[in-house]
């Protein structure tokens, strides 16, 4: 029996020093922070509307005619999402939703600004429709997914669906050199975007079950311990699949994202830094091999190594060179919204290179603010993972946050010249229907899990309220821990 029940009555918790029964302190009421979330949402909508008006004043000298409609539409979407969170996830993290609304709103402003320079190719109205659809998925996930641990039951179904989504674009014509799009009836979408979430579910489920085997079993050679082939097989399969995506779809970004996601989760599951070194070596070997043999990837690498070669050859500035000029033109404070020339980058200014528009018109200060928003989003996702009470939830939250972090790193690194260009969309900021929908689903899952983590534990049944008793949710490794279940 617990030690707290031993000794004289006056020594027991809840007993008065004179032996009289003492009332227990009232339970602590945890703050829900929904009011804070509503205030932050109002700020996010106002900042976006101000940016929209600023673009109109800078380009035409008048307030855009659609400013009121844009503000009302964005505000309505934010309120609907807030109502869903207030109804089904009252203890959720109050920062996640306002950050997503602000990034999405800023993205719409920048796409609208680029539309003014290319009126024959307007993208902002379509992006607003996709954003509305993304918020619809967000509300559906928050309302109907009552417990994220249900997803663990569908781990192998998730990976099968993810593989189908990755393979299907191979049979469609390449767009801009990459076979990652499906175009039907004038509409196009990127199935690989949805595969990211499905693969995160599978990785989290597989590693939650096999984390001990990966960390403590297998043959030891010198200072390194290698797991058995049965456990190591899926890792090598994932590496081969990522290289296969790189070869067949010519999509360097997706390949890096998938493999990076698995390496991060492998490290979190086992706590072994050696897996990161092995992952980096395998990724480097695959990238060097494919970069040498595949023409499209090889050209991306050459552009990265020699961004001004086209100028030297008298062919004008390449997209990467135009990006550098845009950053230089922006300086510290930027030229101001609507007053830059990043549209010279070409068709990719609304997707891959939209960060260059931010750098030119908002300057280094604006870029820091945008990166701070992404950092907060990833940090709150990782915090949600650390607070989870089961391995699957912990790994899934870390995986979803890592997807956002890896995308930002891969895109920002490519645009700024740190790594070769990859052709991915900046989360929430860039034009891309399937991308914005996927990112809204990621935020919805993180909000759902943060509510579970921050929600007070249910009251203990009668007789199970002793210290160290059986009340509360099962912890990692306990017999009732769902994270121990086989996927």
């Amino acid at each position: 029996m617990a030690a707290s029940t031993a000794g004289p009555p006056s020594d027991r918790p809840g007993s008065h020093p004179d032996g009289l029964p003492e009332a227990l302190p009232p339970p602590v009421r945890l703050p829900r922070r929904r009011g804070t979330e509503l205030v932050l949402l109002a700020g996010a909508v106002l900042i976006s509307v101000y940016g929209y008006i600023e673009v109109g004043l800078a380009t035409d000298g008048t307030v855009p005619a659609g400013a009121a409609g844009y503000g009302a539409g964005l505000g309505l979407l934010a309120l609907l999402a807030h109502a869903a969170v207030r109804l089904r996830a009252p203890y959720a993290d109050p920062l996640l939703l306002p950050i997503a609304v602000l990034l999405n709103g800023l993205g719409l402003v920048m796409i609208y600004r680029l539309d003014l320079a290319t009126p024959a190719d307007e993208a902002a109205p379509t992006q607003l429709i996709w954003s509305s659809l993304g918020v619809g998925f967000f509300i559906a996930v928050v309302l109907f997914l009552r417990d994220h641990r249900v997803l663990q039951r569908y781990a192998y179904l998730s990976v099968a669906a993810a593989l189908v989504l990755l393979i299907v674009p191979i049979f469609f014509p390449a767009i801009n050199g990459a076979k990652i799009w499906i175009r039907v009836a004038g509409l196009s979408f990127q199935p690989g975007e949805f595969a990211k979430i499905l693969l995160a579910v599978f990785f989290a489920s597989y590693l939650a079950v096999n984390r001990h085997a990966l960390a403590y079993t297998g043959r030891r050679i010198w200072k390194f311990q290698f797991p058995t082939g049965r456990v190591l097989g899926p890792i090598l399969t994932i590496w081969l699949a990522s290289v296969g995506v790189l070869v067949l779809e010519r999509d360097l970004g997706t390949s890096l994202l998938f493999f990076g996601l698995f390496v991060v989760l492998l490290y979190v599951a086992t706590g072994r830094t050696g897996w990161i070194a092995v992952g980096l070596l395998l990724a480097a070997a695959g990238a060097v091999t494919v970069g040498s043999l595949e023409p499209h990837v090889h050209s991306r690498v050459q552009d990265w190594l020699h961004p001004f070669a086209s100028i030297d050859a008298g062919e004008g500035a390449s997209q990467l060179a135009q990006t550098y000029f845009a950053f230089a033109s922006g300086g510290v404070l930027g030229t101001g919204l609507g007053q830059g020339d990043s549209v010279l980058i070409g068709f990719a200014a609304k997707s891959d290179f939209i960060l260059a528009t931010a750098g030119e018109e908002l300057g280094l200060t604006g870029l820091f603010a945008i990166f701070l928003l992404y950092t907060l989003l990833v940090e709150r996702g990782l915090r949600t993972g650390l607070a989870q009470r089961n391995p699957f939830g912990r790994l899934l939250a870390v995986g979803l946050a890592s997807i956002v972090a890896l995308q930002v790193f891969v895109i920002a690194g490519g645009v700024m010249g740190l790594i070769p260009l990859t052709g991915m969309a900046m989360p929430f900021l860039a034009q891309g229907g399937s991308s914005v929908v996927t990112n809204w689903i990621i935020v919805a899952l993180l909000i759902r899990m943060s509510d579970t983590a921050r929600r007070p534990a249910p009251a203990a049944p009668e007789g199970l309220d002793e210290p160290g008793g059986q009340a509360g949710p099962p912890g990692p490794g306990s017999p009732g821990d769902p994270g121990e279940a086989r996927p």
Side-chain angles (χ1 to χ4, degrees):
M1 184 58 68
S4 59
T5 59
S10 60
D11 295 337
R12 298 176 187 172
S15 297
H16 193 275
D18 297 332
L20 299 175
E22 184 179 19
L24 293 175
V28 177
R29 185 175 181 180
L30 296 178
R32 299 187 178 187
R33 308 293 189 190
R34 298 279 65 84
T36 303
E37 181 182 80
L38 186 60
V39 172
L40 293 175
L41 282 174
V45 173
L46 288 177
I47 291 173
S48 302
V49 173
Y50 172 76
Y52 190 80
I53 295 175
E54 180 68 20
V55 169
L57 292 175
T59 53
D60 299 330
T62 58
V63 176
Y70 169 71
L74 189 62
L76 179 62
L77 292 176
L79 281 178
L80 290 175
H82 171 74
V85 174
R86 185 179 283 271
L87 180 65
R88 290 296 191 188
Y91 292 95
D93 192 315
L95 287 182
L96 290 169
L97 181 58
I99 292 174
V101 170
L102 181 54
L103 286 171
N104 203 162
L106 290 176
L108 287 168
V109 169
M110 291 186 186
I111 295 171
Y112 165 72
R113 177 264 171 277
L114 292 168
D115 280 351
L116 295 179
T118 56
D121 184 26
E122 288 191 347
T126 306
Q127 183 74 358
L128 184 58
I129 294 173
W130 280 108
S131 299
S132 304
L133 186 62
V135 174
F137 274 97
F138 171 91
I139 293 173
V141 171
V142 172
L143 290 182
F144 299 113
L145 182 64
R146 304 299 296 271
D147 190 342
H148 64 275
R149 291 173 294 187
V150 173
L151 298 175
Q152 192 174 9
R153 301 174 187 171
Y154 307 103
Y156 287 110
L157 182 62
S158 297
V159 73
L163 290 176
V164 171
L165 291 174
L166 288 174
I167 292 173
V168 166
I170 295 174
F171 304 103
F172 286 79
I175 299 178
N176 301 328
K179 292 185 175 182
I180 56 177
W181 297 91
I182 294 179
R183 188 182 293 274
V184 178
L187 296 176
S188 61
F189 64 98
Q190 190 174 345
E193 289 287 339
F194 302 102
K196 294 184 298 189
I197 299 177
L198 297 172
L199 284 177
V201 171
F202 170 72
F203 289 159
S205 179
Y206 178 81
L207 292 173
V209 174
N210 295 283
R211 63 190 189 281
H212 294 306
L214 286 166
Y216 303 113
T217 64
R219 179 175 298 178
R220 189 174 186 84
I221 301 177
W222 191 41
K223 294 183 180 180
F224 301 97
Q225 187 164 2
F226 295 91
T228 61
R230 183 184 66 83
V231 179
L232 195 60
I235 301 173
L236 296 178
T237 302
I238 294 298
W239 176 68
L240 290 173
S242 64
V243 175
V245 169
L246 182 59
V247 173
L248 297 176
E249 299 189 351
R250 305 169 182 174
D251 187 4
L252 181 62
T254 303
S255 175
L256 287 175
L257 176 65
F258 289 162
F259 196 76
L261 171 64
F262 186 71
V263 171
V264 168
L265 291 183
L266 195 58
Y267 168 70
V268 174
T270 63
R272 299 292 180 89
T273 54
W275 283 114
I276 295 182
V278 172
L280 291 176
L281 288 174
L282 289 175
V288 170
T289 302
V290 178
S292 304
L293 302 177
E294 213 290 323
H296 179 70
V297 178
H298 180 73
S299 66
R300 290 290 182 104
V301 174
Q302 290 301 312
D303 290 340
W304 171 57
L305 293 174
H306 310 288
F308 301 108
S310 59
I311 298 177
D312 297 336
E315 300 173 353
S318 64
Q319 288 183 325
L320 196 54
Q322 289 284 7
T323 303
Y324 296 160
F325 296 150
F327 284 136
S329 175
V332 176
L333 298 178
T335 60
L337 275 172
Q339 302 181 47
D341 295 312
S342 58
V343 70
L344 296 175
I345 294 173
F347 65 91
K350 298 176 184 175
S351 51
D352 303 12
F353 293 97
I354 199 165
L355 206 60
T357 302
E360 182 178 13
E361 303 193 354
L362 301 178
L364 188 61
T365 307
L367 277 182
F368 273 138
I370 291 173
F371 286 139
L372 180 62
L373 288 176
Y374 283 119
T375 303
L376 278 175
L377 184 61
V378 173
E379 188 269 342
R380 304 307 287 193
L382 295 177
R383 184 189 290 258
T384 297
L386 291 175
Q388 291 299 309
R389 302 183 179 104
N390 62 90
F392 172 72
R394 193 177 308 132
L395 289 167
L396 181 59
V398 171
L400 295 174
S402 299
I403 288 175
V404 178
L406 287 168
Q407 277 191 256
V408 173
F409 168 76
V410 168
I411 299 162
V415 172
M416 295 179 176
L418 183 63
I419 60 175
L421 288 169
T422 58
M424 297 181 70
M426 200 73 174
F428 289 113
L429 209 62
Q431 175 191 357
S434 45
S435 172
V436 73
V437 170
T438 302
N439 287 308
W440 272 112
I441 295 175
I442 288 176
V443 173
L445 290 172
L446 290 176
I447 281 183
R448 185 73 267 176
M449 286 189 283
S450 70
D451 175 67
T452 304
R454 295 160 61 96
R455 185 181 290 271
E462 196 74 22
L464 294 178
D465 55 350
E466 297 178 359
Q470 302 176 36
S478 65
D481 177 15
E484 295 297 325
R486 191 171 294 277

